[in-house]
Amino acid sequence: MARKSADAASQIALPLTPAGSGEPGRIVIGNANTQVIEALRTPQSWPFHTAILTGPQRSGKSLLGRWAQGQGIEVMDGVDSAEESEVFHRWNAVQEGGLNAGQPLLLIADATPWEVTLPDLKSRLGGSLQLAIGDPDDVMAGALIEAHAEKRGLTLAEGAADYLVPRTRRSFAAIEALVAAIDRISLERQAPATMSVWRAALEALHGPSQAKLL
């Protein structure tokens, strides 16, 4: 079931190529981010020309920001760590006449929710489009496992998604860590990434009981 679901998922290529890589980066599209990507494709519909993107760790917020930049959207990443007065200035710039007037602005926050303390900024952002990446379901989890393995040049034996998806935590960070552990153990053992390696990686991350589920 998980294998079939993973095959149904899709990816989009980033317009930029990561440093040191000959291949463009890719974003896995699934239940957690489909609506976000659809909204990023239609910035002309954003209220006040502004959207705010939040989501869990390692969920691809910055990658989506890079993709949005390639679509002509102005992006401010890590806004929850920036001076709120600077964010306020950027918001005003797209509302008022001038060079940036009417240009779509995407604000990406690492914190969920993003707690804004400056009253004027908080009131203005309240009317902006709120975009949130959720947690991956089985379909997307299987696709993420395969995508992370592909990125590492790691060949997973047949049935990897079927075995791993029900046994790992359903989060972007956990799935990425799992594939990294499989890669590490496979290299340490100088063995292919088959079930014994998958089980060892699950035990290393989640304990023996989790690897034996189902």
Side-chain angles (χ1 to χ4, degrees), residues 141 145 164-170 174-175 178 202 205-206 210:
I145 287 171
L164 294 170
V165 167
R167 293 168 171 80
T168 193
R169 297 190 180 111
R170 200 66 78 251
I175 291 167
L178 174 60
L202 287 166
L205 294 175
H206 307 313
Q210 192 72 9

Side-chain angles (χ1 to χ4, degrees), residues 75-163:
V75 177
M76 189 173 183
D77 202 350
V79 289
D80 47 321
S81 300
E83 291 289 337
E84 291 188 351
S85 57
E86 180 185 356
V87 182
F88 185 54
H89 173 75
R90 297 281 283 274
W91 188 91
N92 281 333
V94 303
Q95 314 305 322
E96 302 169 352
L99 183 63
N100 295 326
Q103 181 181 11
L105 173 63
L106 176 65
L107 304 175
I108 302 176
D110 293 323
T112 305
W114 173 26
E115 299 292 347
V116 179
T117 59
L118 188 65
D120 287 343
L121 177 62
K122 186 173 184 177
S123 63
R124 285 160 174 77
L125 293 181
S128 302
L129 180 63
Q130 308 294 316
L131 302 175
I133 300 174
D135 292 322
D137 61 7
D138 285 359
V139 175
M140 194 173 187
L144 286 166
I145 287 171
E146 295 181 357
H148 283 303
E150 181 182 356
K151 183 177 180 181
R152 288 175 167 271
L154 172 67
T155 300
L156 295 173
E158 186 69 24
D162 285 327
Y163 183 85

Side-chain angles (χ1 to χ4, degrees), residues 163-205:
Y163 183 85
L164 294 170
V165 167
R167 293 168 171 80
T168 193
R169 297 190 180 111
R170 200 66 78 251
S171 79
F172 289 92
I175 291 167
E176 184 175 0
L178 174 60
V179 176
I182 292 172
D183 194 19
R184 174 181 57 80
I185 294 170
S186 178
L187 289 171
E188 289 174 350
R189 295 183 177 183
Q190 297 185 345
T194 56
M195 186 176 294
S196 62
V197 173
W198 309 340
R199 184 184 296 275
L202 287 166
E203 290 180 354
L205 294 175

